[in-house]
Amino acid sequence: MARYKPIDLQPKLIPVDLAAQLLPGTFEHALHHLLEHAIDLPPFDARYRHDTTGAPAYPPAMLLRIVRFAYARGIVSSRAIARACEEHITFIALSGDSRPHFTTIAHFVSTLGDQIAPIFAAVLAVCDR
């Protein structure tokens, strides 16, 4: 009878450098860089009150990153985007492992559709160059 090495499929705790998951030259790296450094996002900050009460809001740049990356991958459902932020390493890296709820994503997209479209167009224009 043949002897084989055992295959261990048990869960492992493996350290992951999230910044290293966004490889230079990829769309996700460019998207992260543009929304953090190159594209101006003050209109999004105006809708948040920076009170000391209540839960802190998710940064609009992070929500834009995950929504834009999801749309580029053909994922349009807020539930699927939220699931990707829990299971897919690139989404985890783009969201900073913050795991926004699907209702947060849906509310963000539905209430800011007019403001999101020019941001997405600017990202695509820079990537096209």
Side-chain angles (χ1 to χ4, degrees):
M1 176 181 275
R3 286 183 353 150
Y4 299 108
K5 292 186 179 213
I7 305 296
D8 185 10
L9 299 176
Q10 297 299 315
K12 304 282 187 253
L13 296 174
I14 301 172
V16 177
D17 180 4
L18 293 180
Q21 303 306 310
L22 304 176
L23 301 173
T26 61
F27 175 67
E28 53 269 19
H29 182 267
L31 182 64
H32 182 269
H33 177 75
L34 290 173
L35 289 174
E36 285 297 317
H37 305 290
I39 296 178
D40 204 22
L41 299 176
F44 292 96
D45 291 333
R47 72 185 292 243
Y48 296 102
R49 293 176 295 152
H50 298 287
D51 294 342
T52 56
T53 59
Y58 288 107
M62 183 275 295
L63 292 170
L64 286 167
R65 282 194 304 264
I66 63 170
V67 169
R68 181 63 193 111
F69 185 68
Y71 287 2
R73 298 289 182 255
I75 303 170
V76 294
S77 162
S78 59
R79 289 178 188 261
I81 295 170
R83 190 175 326 108
C85 288
E86 295 174 359
E87 299 172 354
H88 192 279
I89 190 65
T90 307
F91 280 93
I92 294 169
L94 286 171
S95 69
D97 197 20
S98 60
R99 302 174 185 206
H101 195 262
F102 76 91
T103 56
T104 302
I105 297 168
H107 183 264
F108 181 76
V109 172
S110 66
T111 59
L112 294 174
D114 296 337
Q115 294 175 335
I116 291 174
I119 300 293
F120 285 180
V123 169
L124 290 177
V126 171
C127 289
D128 188 42
R129 283 190 263 141

